[in-house]
Amino acid sequence: GLVASSSPAAGEDAAPVTGVFSCEPRNCPPHVYRESVDMGVTELSKASLEILIDSLSAKWLSRDYDLLRRNCCHFADALCQAVGVGPVPEWITSLAAAASSLKAAAVVAAARAGEIDEAYRIRETVVAPVGEVLCAAVSRVSALDEQYQVSASTGRAASLAAER
């Protein structure tokens, strides 16, 4: 099988290094594979396939590897489509796509939170540390419990239910 991955370049000025390499199917340490997926047969000749792989190797460089947007599963999809067997099953790339969407949403939310804080200066108005707030809440709950004897009545209700 062919795989696209990242590997560190020697330096910033180093020549582009392809992330494409070959290995036996389901045998690329340290990766663990769920299953093999039969994608069918290509009608490309061996010579055409070698030219295609050289072309893809030039486009799938190690420095462009991205765990969420351009990983080995994305390479497999590009390769399968290029050889004419169609896209890989959606479940193969869906986890990375979902994570990428969540990451993008988190970036937007963080930016929006910053805008809101800047406009309303929320951080400047928060003076009590979380611990103080929690201690005050526990004290208030304890006072209410004492005043209305909630724990005592709950305990009595539980005893009565156990007797029945």
Side-chain angles (χ1 to χ4, degrees):
L2 292 174
V3 178
S5 75
S6 67
S7 61
E12 283 186 35
D13 297 329
V17 177
T18 184
V20 177
F21 61 92
S22 65
C23 62
E24 291 297 315
R26 296 184 70 179
N27 189 21
C28 182
H31 304 290
V32 177
Y33 298 88
R34 179 176 144 186
E35 65 185 275
S36 295
V37 178
D38 185 353
M39 293 301 297
V41 178
T42 183
E43 295 185 13
L44 294 179
S45 67
K46 183 176 180 180
S48 294
L49 189 57
E50 287 174 357
I51 291 169
L52 173 66
I53 291 170
D54 286 343
S55 173
L56 287 173
S57 294
K59 294 175 184 173
W60 286 80
L61 302 177
S62 294
R63 69 175 182 222
D64 298 331
Y65 182 89
D66 182 286
L67 184 62
L68 301 178
R69 293 181 186 91
R70 194 170 170 87
N71 62 36
C72 57
C73 297
H74 296 105
F75 173 77
D77 186 51
L79 175 64
C80 286
Q81 290 187 52
V83 300
V85 296
V88 297
E90 193 173 301
W91 62 263
I92 292 176
T93 56
S94 63
L95 179 61
S100 181
S101 295
L102 288 174
K103 183 178 178 183
V107 167
V108 170
R112 186 69 182 127
E115 292 171 9
I116 291 169
D117 183 51
E118 190 174 305
Y120 299 102
R121 302 196 181 283
I122 295 169
R123 276 189 225 172
E124 293 174 12
T125 62
V126 177
V127 292
V130 173
E132 289 177 23
V133 172
L134 289 175
C135 286
V138 168
S139 294
R140 182 68 181 135
V141 167
S142 294
L144 289 171
D145 184 35
E146 249 183 70
Q147 181 180 352
Y148 296 104
Q149 298 181 346
V150 175
S151 294
S153 62
T154 304
R156 284 194 302 270
S159 296
L160 290 172
E163 290 175 11
R164 292 182 185 170

